[in-house]
Amino acid sequence: MSTIQAVFADRDGTIGGTGHFIHPRDFELYPSSLEAIQLLKMHGIKVFALTNQHNIAKGLATEEDFTNQFMQYGFDAAYICPHEPEDGCECHKPRPGLLLRAAREHGLDLAHCVVIGDVGSTDMLAASAVGSRRVLVKTGWGKQSLEKYRHKWYEQATPDFVAKDLLDGVRWLIENLHNGTS
């Protein structure tokens, strides 16, 4: 694989929080998440948020609340599905609509991109659908995703790497993929 063009990072359970909805004003990043984002940017890799936030449809937050939060953290753009899972939209992970939109808007080859998330049945399946690399973090729902819910996704979207957290995953990416060594 040649140079990574972009990394798509999930929000809840991946960059911070608990894995459950937390309004952006109350959301806390994991201690090393900003370092991970900065490390990607230092290596010339675009960083995009990739998140399902169906509580927007319920009126509990706005898309702007989330976008502003991601911009404060240093993300290059935010791709947010505001719909309920049963709405049948093309942007709710595991559907790849958000990834496809980002590819169009930024001229990306998704085979040269990576999705980092904590849920196999959404994050890893979305990445697999477009041929992106996959890093599953053990934070948030990551451990349960690997153990209790593995049967729902693992065969179709085996992670390229299982990381302790976002920073561990980013370090692995840079050491093993960004320079074309893997």
Side-chain angles (χ1 to χ4, degrees), residues 37-158:
I37 294 165
Q38 291 166 351
L39 187 58
L40 289 167
K41 294 177 86 62
M42 281 177 24
H43 284 269
I45 301 169
K46 291 190 178 303
V47 185
F48 301 120
L50 182 70
T51 183
N52 291 339
Q53 293 295 335
H54 66 270
N55 282 295
I56 293 171
K58 295 177 181 174
L60 299 176
T62 67
E63 202 165 330
E64 185 178 22
D65 292 333
F66 288 97
T67 300
N68 290 339
Q69 176 188 52
F70 292 125
M71 296 306 114
Q72 289 172 359
Y73 297 155
F75 281 82
D76 294 295
Y79 291 89
I80 303 163
C81 172
H83 307 108
E84 295 279 1
E86 58 275 1
D87 286 349
C89 65
E90 287 304 310
C91 59
H92 192 87
K93 295 180 294 181
R95 291 181 206 95
L98 292 175
L99 291 165
L100 296 171
R101 187 174 119 211
R104 283 191 307 273
E105 291 177 3
H106 297 277
L108 301 171
D109 176 348
L110 292 170
H112 296 279
C113 295
V114 180
V115 174
I116 302 177
D118 66 318
V119 180
S121 61
T122 57
D123 303 315
M124 299 301 102
L125 286 176
S128 182
V130 296
S132 293
R133 293 288 185 119
R134 299 168 297 283
V135 173
L136 185 84
V137 294
K138 290 184 179 179
T139 53
W141 294 103
K143 279 185 164 183
Q144 282 188 305
S145 200
L146 276 170
E147 296 165 3
K148 186 175 181 183
Y149 300 105
R150 183 184 192 104
H151 66 283
K152 293 185 176 191
W153 63 275
Y154 196 85
E155 295 275 322
Q156 304 151 53
T158 304

Side-chain angles (χ1 to χ4, degrees), residues 10-32:
D10 175 56
R11 177 184 180 258
D12 301 304
T14 301
I15 66 167
T18 61
H20 293 285
F21 170 76
I22 298 173
H23 193 282
R25 72 176 162 262
D26 301 318
F27 186 81
E28 291 184 28
L29 285 174
Y30 295 138
S32 61

